[in-house]
Every structure is written in structure tokens, then in C-alpha cells.
Amino acid sequence: IYGPRFTIIPGKFSQMKEMLQAKNVFAVDGVVLDLGVSSPQLDDASRGFSFRTDGPLDMRMDTSSGQSAADLVNTAAADVLEQ
């Protein structure tokens, strides 16, 4: 509904500069950031964040990409997990 005034660029905050440059954007008027989890994410056991209910150990904000927390702790070397 905002047309060219608002563009969603999903990615990591640490890569914001590079992601903007890749789209030939070198200045912005504002930035909207999603900085945390919401109660529904914590309350839904299937999301893998809850410590009160049983569910998979996932802990990803975007479940369509990356490795789940369960996969990470079960496959990473101990020295990697220590970091």
C-alpha cells in the first residue's frame, strides 16, 4: 500500500549496508526493524522457543531458512558451541 516509499529487505542487521548497496540504495529516510520475539512466538510450542511446553528445539525467526537449534547442537563440534 506504500508503493515505492516502503521496501522490505529481509536479512541480517549486520549486513544492512551491503544489502542496501546491492539495491543501489545509498541513503534512506528511515528504517523499520523487528527487534524481538512476540508472545505468540513464545507461546506456540511448535516454534521451538518455549521453555514451558514441549516442542521441537528450533528457535529460528524464519523457519524456511538456516539450521534449527536442534540441528546445530546435535551436529556442531564442541568448540563451535563454546563460542
Side-chain angles (χ1 to χ4, degrees):
I1 63 173
Y2 298 102
R5 297 184 310 148
F6 184 82
T7 302
I8 296 175
I9 304 173
K12 296 180 179 179
F13 301 143
S14 63
Q15 297 171 345
M16 186 182 304
K17 182 177 179 180
E18 294 81 6
M19 291 185 299
L20 290 170
Q21 288 175 344
K23 295 189 173 291
N24 292 318
V25 175
F26 300 98
V28 297
D29 293 323
V31 176
V32 177
L33 304 173
D34 181 357
L35 297 174
V37 299
S38 64
S39 180
Q41 288 169 316
L42 296 175
D43 294 340
D44 181 356
S46 70
R47 291 298 310 271
F49 287 97
S50 180
F51 53 87
R52 293 180 294 165
T53 58
D54 288 335
L57 180 61
D58 194 330
M59 302 182 77
R60 292 174 292 171
M61 294 296 180
D62 178 3
T63 58
S64 66
S65 66
Q67 193 175 33
S68 73
D71 290 339
L72 178 67
V73 299
N74 287 308
T75 60
D79 61 321
V80 172
L81 294 174
E82 290 174 1
Q83 296 175 5

